[in-house]
Every structure is written in C-alpha cells, then in structure tokens.
C-alpha cells in the first residue's frame, strides 16, 4: 500500500493539468468552473471538467469526468487527484473547493481511502493534500460487500 506523499513537482504538474482542464468546463448554468487531473498508479493522467445540462440533474462533476474517462479506458488504480474549482471570470485567487459527496463516493469505489491523495488547489503554489479517508471517514466501498 502506497503511503508516500507525492513529490512537489508531481503535485504541481497535476494542478497545472487540472487548471487546463478547467478551461473546458461547460457550466452555463452555475458559472462555476471545475477542473480535475487524476493520476493512475502507472503514471497516466486523466483530466476532467464539469459538464452541465439544461435538465440540471445529468450534470457531471469534473472529478467524475476524470474517473469515468480513465475507467472507460481500462484504468482502475489511482494514486491522486488534483481539483481546482471556482466561479467563472477573473479571480485574484481560486477558492479551495472540495469534491462533493457523490465524487467522494466514486473515489471510494476505485481508491484506497488510506493512501489516495486528494489535492485541493488554489494554484500550483497553494494547495492542501488530504487522504480520501480524511474527506470520507468510515466510507462505504466494495470491501463492505465482501461479507
Ligand atoms: N462541481 C464539480 O464539478 N465538482 C464538485 O465536486 C462540486 C461541484 C460542479 C457541478 C456543477 O457543474 C457546478 O460545480 C456547481 O455545483
């Protein structure tokens, strides 16, 4: 089980990729733009943005877009995700938005809660790193179905 925190350069690369993905955010209703960059255990990076919908509920968060892209390409083991989120427009600094509960549950499906790292970033220089377990204590996952 990997417990090592990612190196600073790896964290910053993920944040830069998440910032780039955020530019593709399709959020005409909330005007809240989210980008994510998901690092697989083998070192691939899958990006995602939030994708809204006129019917509202089909909206997909940036984090889940990244997960679903990866899983749909056969990748199911991950070590970290960087998330950047904030209102559209010129901001002096992004707020450090945390993933919603549904996204945390999707992480729980594929990631080890004790070692998977969730990087909440305002910029490549300003970020916080949490384990999934810190964000979703006593989460329900595939192991709970093993009996
Ligand atoms: N959103 C995300 O993409 N990730 C989150 O974890 C929180 C919320 C999106 C959904 C919606 O498009 C917008 O942000 C406002 O909720």
């Amino acid at each position: 089980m990997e417990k090592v925190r990612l190196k600073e350069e790896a964290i910053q690369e993920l944040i830069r990729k998440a910032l780039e993905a955020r530019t593709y955010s399709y959020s005409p209703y909330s005007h809240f733009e989210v980008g994510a960059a998901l690092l697989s255990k083998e070192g691939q990076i899958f990006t995602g943005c939030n994708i809204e919908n006129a019917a509202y509920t089909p909206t997909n968060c940036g984090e889940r877009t990244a997960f679903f892209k990866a899983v749909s390409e056969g990748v199911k083991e991950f070590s970290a995700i960087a998330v950047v989120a904030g209102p559209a427009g010129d901001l002096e600094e992004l707020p450090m938005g945390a993933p919603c509960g549904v996204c945390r549950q999707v992480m729980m499906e594929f990631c080890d809660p004790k070692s998977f790292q969730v990087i909440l970033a305002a910029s490549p220089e300003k970020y916080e790193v949490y384990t999934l377990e810190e964000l979703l204590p006593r989460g329900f996952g595939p192991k709970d179905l093993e009996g």
Side-chain angles (χ1 to χ4, degrees), residues 30-86:
S30 73
H31 307 287
F32 188 81
E33 299 177 338
V34 181
L38 176 63
L39 179 66
S40 78
K41 285 201 173 161
E42 290 196 340
Q44 302 128 291
I45 296 175
F46 295 86
T47 59
C49 64
N50 57 330
I51 305 169
E52 298 189 344
N53 190 279
Y56 292 3
T57 54
T59 292
N60 206 54
C61 291
E63 298 90 323
R64 274 179 290 144
T65 302
F67 268 90
F68 296 157
K69 280 171 66 181
V71 174
S72 69
E73 291 181 27
V75 178
K76 284 181 289 223
E77 292 191 328
F78 306 102
S79 25
I81 189 168
V83 183
V84 291

